[in-house]
Amino acid sequence: MKFKITLLLLLILTTCSFAQTAVSEHLVFKGVPIDGSLSQYVLKMKQSGFATVSSENGLAILKGDFAGFKDCHIGVSTLKDKDLVHKIAVLCPESETWSLLSGNYFNLKELLTEKYGTPSDVVEKFDSYTPRDDNGKMSAVKFDRCKYYTIWKTDKGDIQLTIVQKDYKCSVSLIYMDKLNSDIIRAKAKDDL
């Protein structure tokens, strides 16, 4: 009887260990490995509290709370011909002032550094000169004269934090790129050449 119980425990531990190894191969976003089909991944994000805004042509847009920010837009990307999720993009809510925008950027940078370690690449500068006041700095962001980004390269993929602007609306963007699935998609692209 003891032998059967020991064998059963060993089987359970081996199964649990294998399951943890399989999960750890992919970069994780909100506790969910960046893997699977678009519909599977969107379902998992809905279970985490996100709402679907749209989904078509290998891209799903979701909305929800992320890392203390309300109403973020989340883009889940696949290659259209290969229904395999490989990239997640987060767009934080728009910021009206440099102090708020840079505060959001540096807050996320600090949290990501605590989780992933020292960044592999950091650029935080204004083109030609640094404006002195908040309005000047926001103006530089709106006219693409500001380069703020930090990149973490991990064994599982890359994470990029950036200050971005589109149509003069400024916010912080965060992109997660799973290495394993990005390599699969890259190999598929090479096959097309």
Side-chain angles (χ1 to χ4, degrees):
M1 181 70 169
K2 286 183 182 180
F3 177 75
K4 288 181 181 180
I5 291 173
T6 304
L7 187 61
L8 180 62
L9 284 173
L10 185 60
L11 180 62
I12 289 170
L13 289 174
T14 303
T15 304
C16 290
S17 173
F18 177 74
Q20 288 175 352
T21 301
V23 169
S24 68
E25 292 176 1
H26 293 278
L27 195 58
V28 174
F29 175 77
K30 287 280 290 184
V32 178
I34 300 173
D35 192 26
S37 70
L38 185 61
S39 61
Q40 291 169 335
Y41 199 84
V42 167
L43 180 62
K44 290 175 186 173
M45 290 293 94
K46 283 178 157 181
Q47 292 168 348
S48 293
F50 288 95
T52 304
V53 175
S54 67
S55 183
E56 61 183 66
N57 297 325
L59 177 67
I61 305 295
L62 308 166
K63 191 170 185 179
D65 300 343
F66 173 75
F69 293 92
K70 300 279 186 198
D71 298 326
C72 294
H73 283 87
I74 315 297
V76 181
S77 178
T78 68
L79 183 66
K80 192 166 62 170
D81 296 339
K82 181 95 175 144
D83 189 16
L84 184 63
V85 173
H86 70 103
K87 187 188 306 183
I88 308 294
V90 179
L91 187 62
C92 295
E94 179 184 349
S95 298
E96 298 289 333
T97 64
W98 172 253
S99 59
L100 181 59
L101 182 64
S102 63
N104 291 344
Y105 172 87
F106 285 114
N107 177 51
L108 285 171
K109 180 179 175 183
E110 180 181 335
L111 292 172
L112 288 161
T113 300
E114 285 177 20
K115 184 169 183 176
Y116 295 104
T118 303
S120 57
D121 192 15
V122 178
V123 173
E124 297 169 346
K125 66 178 187 163
F126 291 90
D127 292 349
S128 66
Y129 75 98
T130 301
R132 293 188 174 171
D133 63 4
D134 197 271
N135 288 335
K137 290 176 182 177
M138 280 305 281
S139 200
V141 174
K142 290 177 181 181
F143 290 102
D144 285 330
R145 294 190 312 257
C146 171
K147 306 257 183 306
Y148 267 66
Y149 66 84
T150 304
I151 298 172
W152 290 263
K153 291 189 177 291
T154 74
D155 294 340
K156 298 175 188 176
D158 297 346
I159 299 129
Q160 181 176 338
L161 176 68
T162 311
I163 289 179
V164 296
Q165 76 82 22
K166 182 171 175 153
D167 299 328
Y168 305 109
K169 295 179 181 179
C170 307
S171 62
V172 174
S173 169
L174 189 56
I175 298 174
Y176 291 76
M177 293 168 280
D178 180 68
K179 182 179 180 354
L180 189 61
N181 289 350
S182 291
D183 287 349
I184 291 168
I185 288 169
R186 185 177 171 88
K188 169 79 171 123
K190 280 197 239 178
D191 288 344
D192 290 346
L193 299 175

